[in-house]
Amino acid sequence: MALSARQIPRWFNSVKLSSFVTAMQLGKRFPRAGKTLLHGVSAQPQMSSGNCFLQWGFKAYRTSSLRNSSQSANPSRQEIGSAQSTLLPSVNEQTPKTQKIPSLDSELPLEALDDLPSLAPLQPVSEEEAIQIIADPPLPPDTFTLRDYVDHSETLQKLVHLGVDLSKIEKHPEAANLLLRLDFEKDIKQILMFLKDLGIEDNQLGPYLTKNYAIFSEDLENLKTRVAYLQSKNFSKAQIAQMVRNAPFLLSFSVERLDNRLGFFQKELELSVKKTRDLVVRLPRLLTGSLEPVKENMKVYRLELGFKHNEIQHMITRVPKMLTANKRKLTETFDYVHNVMNIPHHLIVRFPQVFNTRLFKVKERHLFLTYLGRAQYDPTKPNYISLDKFVSVPDEIFCEEIAKASVQDFEKFLKTL
């Protein structure tokens, strides 16, 4: 049966409405990732036949509307308006929050993506959809230990055999990643041979590599160049080995850095070449640590504690740790020894080991000697007690030779403090 010109728009409206409802029902039952039309409804770039027919219906409807408007504008517009009024309320009833239906080709704002419903765990997915799914990267494990890799890594197995403590290295993720990438024969063996030739014993390799695992990332020729520089400064092979053991990061510093440090201590402390060399051999971390504590302590000795420059030279060559000691500990120790025990500067200079002793130990022994009436530190008077022996000997010798008392008496006295 042929349709009149006025019935064609109504027929297209009815077709469009039925196709649209069908698309909504399918969208609710089988939601797919794509462009969201309404809450809970989505459209794929590749649409089904029903949706294609719906899109064709929109185009045909627009064409028909244009033709009818040229013939009878007012009646057609009224019918089109009535048809649209019958379509929109039905959509609004299902989705009351949405007041406007976007076109199929329009792009949605990013905020609308937050309202998309999540897929059900057992929702069936087609092969085409499965290919398009981009999985999130796996979450890192809650705990990471190199022990989990020892059974699968020859490198880690041999490092453990050498005595390397993997539990300390794994606290640094970059170190763990470095070791897992290294090949023992190509990357590690040559470094081990270099360290052994340098004088590091087999039982010392484990502790050394635990502290300075970064040496495996150093170029072997650079390491040899730094050793050659130290030899050019008349450091013996035994001295270099001692310095490397006590300051594991020494060989990780460039020749320029080592040269600048040696020059600083020789100039700042006004020491001879030999005394400068002896100083850094006894405390090699002076070459690797920060210079700020050294500069600060030099000011403390000179300005706050009142020592002369030659006195400072003598003390630091006897006890190099005084250069890096804690400032508060230095001032508290000096205050107690000088102002409470009444020991003058020149005696402290003769026995600077007192600055390397725990303050509570100095207090306990001085109070015990005071209790016994034997706290006499003046070398010009009888029963003189040397400050050196006062701080250096163990409790047994202190009680027997200095305090002339038993260890039990000393322990009972300490309980009264």
Side-chain angles (χ1 to χ4, degrees), residues 34-38 43-44 47 55 100-109:
K35 299 178 181 179
T36 304
L37 295 179
L38 296 173
Q44 293 288 343
M47 303 178 65
Q55 190 174 11
K100 183 179 180 180
I101 302 176
S103 64
L104 296 176
D105 297 329
S106 63
E107 294 289 339
L108 287 180

Side-chain angles (χ1 to χ4, degrees), residues 90-151:
S90 63
V91 177
N92 291 334
E93 290 175 1
Q94 296 181 16
T95 57
K97 294 182 180 180
T98 304
Q99 300 298 330
K100 183 179 180 180
I101 302 176
S103 64
L104 296 176
D105 297 329
S106 63
E107 294 289 339
L108 287 180
L110 295 178
E111 292 78 1
L113 297 177
D114 297 336
D115 298 330
L116 287 175
S118 58
L119 292 175
L122 302 179
Q123 179 70 42
V125 180
S126 65
E127 294 183 1
E128 293 79 8
E129 292 174 329
I131 295 175
Q132 297 176 1
I133 293 177
I134 301 177
D136 294 332
L139 295 175
D142 294 336
T143 58
F144 172 79
T145 60
L146 285 174
R147 291 179 298 178
D148 300 334
Y149 296 88
V150 172
D151 295 336

Side-chain angles (χ1 to χ4, degrees), residues 308-340:
K308 300 177 182 179
H309 185 74
N310 62 333
E311 293 176 334
I312 298 175
Q313 284 181 325
H314 178 79
M315 289 191 296
I316 62 175
T317 53
R318 294 283 301 275
V319 185
K321 288 184 179 180
M322 290 179 61
L323 288 172
T324 58
N326 180 269
K327 175 183 175 181
R328 180 179 177 181
K329 179 179 181 297
L330 290 175
T331 54
E332 290 181 349
T333 300
F334 175 82
D335 179 68
Y336 191 84
V337 173
H338 182 67
N339 298 321
V340 177

